[in-house]
Amino acid sequence: MKTPTDALTAATGTHWTSEEAWVGTRRPILEAHALPAAVYADPAFYAEEQERVFSTSWVCVGTHDELDAPGSAIVRSVAGRSVILTRNQNGDLRGYFNACRHRGTELLEDDCTLGLTIRCPYHRWTYDRDGALVATPQFADAGVDRFDTTNYGLHTVRVASWQCLLFVCLSDETSPIEHWFGDLDQRLAGYRLAGWRSHLTRDFEFAANWKLVSENFQEYYHLRWVHPELAKVSRVQDHYRYQGTGMYCGQTTTPLSNDERGDWDALPPAEGLSQPDMASGRFIALFPNVLLSILPNHVFVMRLDPVAPDLTREHCTWLLPPSNPQVADEDFAVTRNFWLDVNAEDIDIVQRGQKGLSTGSYTPGRLSPRFEEPLHRFHNMLADRFVGISRIPAGDETDDQPLYGTGINPLPWRSVEDQARKVN
Ligand code: FES
Ligand SMILES: [Fe+2]
């Protein structure tokens, strides 16, 4: 499918489709600048971003187990278009635009459990879960020429279940999802996340641009001052790049530390993890809209849903491994409350970021090569979507190379003794 963006780019081009608009981003990290305020606060940029980024990317719309129950369907808005995700009778994932093929009525208002079919509320045209038109009450009886129901099935959208998440892509021109996320599937293979299940969900809404939340997640520069508790289990000096080819910005904390509250080790780890996975936290911002924190015993997903330039919905889900599927709430409370505290601290600081960027006075500052290199990568991915470059960025050559003063990434695993000897 050609998206409206394709037509827009060809026809007009705007300030943001030119490389000059991104000159501070395109510089090497040692000289790069942060993004201008308009990128976070201007409604015109936001509208263009919906087209150039959200309608051309693999956008996360949920966790895979939201479609576990037979006949379940979820309704999501992607780049302002309503889409339906469901599974057919064989369990295969399916995605459709949420519009009837008769006169365009929205088919489903909200998440629901379907029977065998999707039925339009207006004149009851009915589709099976493969999108085929199977009933048109009283339509053909009165006579209609050359009407072939096979021409009026639901319009499909690309959907994918990847790791423990569901994705939609509105453009047919975008690479397949395996290519989009590059080597990340392989990096995460040892966790076998497709078998993990949601334990708890929470939604938040806050007054900041979605990119501020992603950027904040990607950098650990703010850790000491914004999150004194998090800094005990995820120490600044234990952060490293975890970055291969793919549309993501990754870091690892290795080794994870313990604190007196046991924030991250209150639950048993998943069975069968490798030693490096067992000792690490993986923090990965998938482009564009999902932030994954993968710990040995739980996964915390933050899915970002832009609502306006200065308004974002954040859908949070905690998942547990199949070896520990049922956890009493009192046993989960430490982990849950830890994340809720960290999230509240982050929401507070990104809302203040939005306020500062909206003063009209901000001119782009400099990025810290050591702490903010992932933001530089993220900004360049954003620039690529705007100027129409469909490249999947390369990653680091190896995981164990010194980068920007952070020392040698301790992967591949050496030994516990080496870790203890590591100079802090
Ligand atoms: S608009 Fe759906 S049946 Fe008429
Ligand atoms: Fe934070």
Side-chain angles (χ1 to χ4, degrees), residues 202-208 213 303-308 310-316 343 347-348 350-351:
R202 287 279 173 90
D203 290 346
F204 300 89
E205 192 170 274
F206 46 88
V213 188
R303 177 168 65 84
L304 307 176
D305 213 353
V307 182
D310 55 355
L311 188 62
T312 303
R313 279 194 200 109
E314 182 185 77
H315 306 276
C316 297
N343 200 38
I347 288 176
D348 184 51
V350 299
Q351 290 189 141

Side-chain angles (χ1 to χ4, degrees), residues 100-105 107 120-125 127:
C100 180
R101 290 298 311 279
H102 176 217
R103 277 173 36 218
T105 303
L107 293 164
C120 179
Y122 205 169
H123 314 98
R124 289 291 198 261
W125 280 29
Y127 307 86

